Amino acid sequence: MVWLDAGDYFGDSSAAGLKNTQTLTEGMTRIGYAAVNLGEREVNFGLDRLQQEMKKASFPFVSANMVYQDSGEPFLQPTLILSVPRSGAGAPGAKKGKIRLGILGLARQNAGFSQKTPEGRRIVTSDPVEAARRAVPALKKKSDLVVALVTLELEEAKALSKEVPGIDALLGGFGAVQTTEEIPAGPNTPPSRIVYAGNQGKKLGEIRVFLDPGKPPRLNPILVNLGKNVPDDSAIMDLVTANRLAINEINRKEAPLVDVKKMIAMYEGAAYVQSGACKDCHAEEYRIWEETKHAHAFRILEEKHQDYNPECVGCHTTGFRKPTGYVNAKSTPDLMNVQCESCHGPGKGHPETVGKGYGAANLDTCRPCHTPENSPDFDPTAYMIKIRHWKTDPGAGAAAGGSRR
């Protein structure tokens, strides 16, 4: 079994979200998805649009606890049984036959969630534990392996695996959570495996299943890093590229034009002044910065047609989503790239506050952008050498977590 989390756009009825939903549906069809569980967020963006895409999909959707409020009946089929060939079944000496997978879908229960259907009925989420208790026993009788597709918080998934015996694997998606864990069960009950692959499509979840007659299934789950060593699949990259261009263009057209002067006037004491303002007093530091990738970080987004992607621009600009910081390429082009103030903070009050701690930075300043997902090759010592423009030893500073100027 292998899977990727579909991410946070599935079912989004905005122009960009709808395009992403269409691309996800087509991409999951090409990849060969066997089943998809709906979470509350997917349904929240509008059932009419979502149902249109569901009709186009080549795979079934399941949910055991997304129900009609007036009757408690499931909105979708709660479970399904898939029959898949054993790996290597055609090899000499290999066991023949198929493996029966029992699959159920479970969403997080949210008391505030309620969506109106085109027919006027309401869909709500019921208790996932109770839904699993009703579904698992029947699945267990008909299948060799029971798999729960869940959009639950990690602690909820752990509690579910303990409270509902018989679930062999919980394949989860909940934001950026990435983990592979074994959850012990009660006496004479095999443990459950919980695997969350994150939501950026940078990890591939894989579970290898070993079935021996008369013994509980043995599961070996791993997360595969889809990094530089894994080449792009030409059979799907045309779809990815076309979607990337389309979404970027939609975001470009919808990007607001902001009156920057008014914005700065509102936050006069915390305004960004751009790196050019630092040059007169910090000429050598400015020269070093100009030669780093930080100084040209926005160009990378332009080349990849991601310059209007809100998930990317924050780490390639200065002060994104902060008062007087970067808004978009139309309104604040002067704040493109990772400038001095990205690390040292808004410089409007400098140099008056130079003796009062302005500009303190350390390794924690790097970590919001240089995450394992966004920057898997990040080596603090090696990277500090590339950008070093301070007089103290970068290694010592990094170890101590001290500030640098």
Side-chain angles (χ1 to χ4, degrees):
M1 293 182 292
V2 294
W3 79 97
L4 288 162
D5 186 0
D8 289 334
Y9 284 108
F10 202 85
D12 188 341
S13 60
S14 68
L18 180 58
K19 178 60 181 174
N20 271 319
T21 296
Q22 294 168 342
T23 300
L24 282 168
T25 304
E26 172 63 21
M28 293 160 82
T29 297
R30 291 191 190 184
I31 291 172
Y33 267 61
V36 168
N37 168 52
L38 283 188
E40 58 179 294
R41 194 177 190 280
E42 285 81 53
V43 180
N44 244 340
F45 284 111
L47 280 172
D48 52 347
R49 293 280 193 179
L50 178 60
Q51 288 177 310
Q52 291 175 25
E53 292 306 311
M54 289 169 63
K55 291 177 182 178
K56 300 176 187 176
S58 64
F59 45 83
F61 292 78
V62 294
S63 177
N65 72 318
M66 202 164 283
V67 300
Y68 289 105
Q69 187 177 35
D70 55 11
S71 66
E73 297 174 285
F75 165 61
L76 299 171
Q77 62 184 101
T79 65
L80 61 88
I81 303 290
L82 294 177
S83 183
V84 298
R86 285 178 179 269
S87 178
K95 292 182 180 180
K96 298 181 180 180
K98 296 185 176 182
I99 297 174
R100 299 167 303 166
L101 294 181
I103 297 177
L104 73 154
L106 295 168
R108 181 179 71 120
Q109 185 177 25
N110 180 355
F113 171 81
S114 175
Q115 269 295 317
K116 190 175 183 179
T117 70
E119 299 80 26
R121 301 176 74 183
R122 286 277 174 184
I123 293 175
V124 297
T125 47
S126 64
D127 183 353
V129 173
E130 289 303 317
R133 283 183 177 142
R134 290 192 297 270
V136 170
L139 276 181
K140 198 70 177 175
K141 292 178 182 179
K142 300 176 183 178
S143 58
D144 302 302
L145 195 76
V146 175
V147 177
L149 308 178
V150 302
T151 52
L152 302 173
E153 293 185 42
L154 183 57
E155 292 305 314
E156 289 179 306
K158 292 179 180 179
L160 173 69
S161 67
K162 293 177 180 178
E163 293 183 41
V164 184
I167 301 176
D168 297 295
L170 292 90
L171 312 185
F174 198 89
V177 177
Q178 298 179 17
T179 187
T180 61
E181 299 186 34
E182 179 179 300
I183 306 300
N188 304 316
T189 303
S192 298
R193 300 298 196 283
I194 293 180
V195 188
Y196 278 59
N199 64 345
Q200 293 190 352
K202 296 182 178 181
K203 299 283 186 180
L204 181 75
E206 176 182 315
I207 296 183
R208 299 190 179 189
V209 182
F210 303 90
L211 295 175
D212 297 316
K215 296 181 180 180
R218 290 183 295 117
L219 280 66
N220 181 23
I222 60 172
L223 290 180
V224 181
N225 182 33
L226 300 178
K228 297 177 181 177
N229 295 329
V230 180
D232 291 333
D233 186 346
S234 58
I236 202 168
M237 282 310 295
D238 63 315
L239 186 67
V240 174
T241 301
N243 186 68
R244 184 180 293 162
L245 290 168
I247 295 299
N248 206 59
E249 187 57 29
I250 290 171
N251 289 339
R252 184 194 308 276
K253 290 179 179 179
E254 295 182 351
L257 189 60
V258 176
D259 189 330
V260 178
K261 290 184 179 179
K262 286 185 178 180
M263 186 170 62
I264 291 176
M266 292 172 61
Y267 300 95
E268 187 174 354
Y272 289 88
V273 296
Q274 298 100 48
S275 289
C278 309
K279 187 176 181 179
D280 289 344
C281 297
H282 301 282
E284 180 62 11
E285 289 85 350
Y286 182 87
R287 182 193 66 77
I288 294 172
W289 168 78
E290 276 194 309
E291 295 175 357
T292 67
K293 290 184 178 180
H294 281 167
H296 313 286
F298 199 79
R299 184 189 305 163
I300 298 172
L301 297 186
E302 293 175 321
E303 291 171 351
K304 295 182 178 292
H305 304 287
Q306 296 286 274
D307 46 316
Y308 279 85
N309 186 338
E311 295 183 9
C312 299
V313 297
C315 290
H316 294 254
T317 59
T318 300
F320 182 57
R321 288 178 175 162
K322 295 180 180 178
T324 77
Y326 181 84
V327 177
N328 57 55
K330 295 179 184 178
S331 302
T332 50
D334 291 344
L335 291 174
M336 292 176 180
N337 303 312
V338 181
Q339 301 185 36
C340 305
E341 294 165 292
S342 292
C343 300
H344 300 296
K348 181 68 174 178
H350 186 61
E352 289 82 1
T353 58
V354 67
K356 300 178 182 179
Y358 169 78
N362 55 38
L363 243 153
D364 289 338
T365 311
C366 311
R367 290 194 173 104
C369 287
H370 289 283
T371 63
E373 295 76 31
N374 294 333
S375 187
D377 300 325
F378 181 60
D379 179 331
T381 301
Y383 274 52
M384 288 298 177
I385 291 173
K386 292 179 181 179
I387 67 166
R388 182 178 176 180
H389 55 277
W390 53 87
K391 295 180 181 179
T392 56
D393 175 36
S403 61
R404 307 184 184 93
R405 283 294 298 140

